[in-house]
Amino acid sequence: MNGCKHFVKYGDSVSNTTIVGAGTPQGTVSGPNDFKLVINDLTFNTCYVKYVDDTTVLSISKTVNDNTLQAAADHLVHWTQNNGMMINTNKTKEGKPFVALKLLPLEFVVNVNRC
């Protein structure tokens, strides 16, 4: 898209034309794969899941003083700044911590009915 001219039309209003230096038009077949290439090097030192443009980071801790998730959040901010991206704080959610005092063993019973 380097050097392409773009404008925005909303209702009867039309923006000025501007030249785009890079990117992929929204709605293209290659768009999702292009985005995956951009975020391919985004990794964390804890469990995480990336799906399209969503990233979820999680941690299981034995102490309330564990700073794994804060370190992951700090890393994400640093990564986005280095890669010219912005975090959409309107879509950012913080999970609530759950503290289990004792883990109980789980017992599974599987019944198989033969026809």
Side-chain angles (χ1 to χ4, degrees), residues 50-81:
K50 292 190 291 188
Y51 180 75
V52 190
D53 63 346
D54 291 326
T55 301
T56 300
V57 180
L58 59 111
S59 174
I60 299 172
S61 305
K62 293 184 178 184
T63 174
V64 296
N65 297 322
D66 187 337
N67 71 345
T68 302
L69 291 178
Q70 183 61 55
D74 294 344
H75 171 70
L76 178 62
V77 168
H78 186 303
W79 184 91
T80 56
Q81 291 171 342

Side-chain angles (χ1 to χ4, degrees), residues 1 7 16-17 20 31 44 50-51 72 74-75 79 82 98 103 112-113:
M1 282 194 49
F7 65 90
N16 293 330
T17 301
V20 176
F44 298 91
K50 292 190 291 188
Y51 180 75
D74 294 344
H75 171 70
W79 184 91
N82 286 343
F98 172 76
L103 295 177
V112 179
N113 294 325

Side-chain angles (χ1 to χ4, degrees), residues 16-112:
N16 293 330
T17 301
T18 185
I19 297 176
V20 176
T24 301
Q26 186 173 354
T28 62
V29 173
S30 67
N33 287 326
D34 292 349
F35 186 76
K36 284 191 278 186
L37 287 172
V38 170
I39 66 165
N40 189 49
D41 68 332
L42 175 59
T43 59
F44 298 91
N45 291 328
T46 188
C47 299
Y48 65 96
V49 177
K50 292 190 291 188
Y51 180 75
V52 190
D53 63 346
D54 291 326
T55 301
T56 300
V57 180
L58 59 111
S59 174
I60 299 172
S61 305
K62 293 184 178 184
T63 174
V64 296
N65 297 322
D66 187 337
N67 71 345
T68 302
L69 291 178
Q70 183 61 55
D74 294 344
H75 171 70
L76 178 62
V77 168
H78 186 303
W79 184 91
T80 56
Q81 291 171 342
N82 286 343
N83 287 278
M85 299 181 87
M86 293 175 46
I87 297 172
N88 185 342
T89 56
N90 292 327
K91 292 184 177 182
T92 302
K93 295 182 177 105
E94 175 186 359
K96 301 298 181 204
F98 172 76
V99 178
L101 300 177
K102 183 177 180 183
L103 295 177
L104 301 175
L106 297 176
E107 183 177 318
F108 293 96
V109 177
V110 178
N111 293 318
V112 179

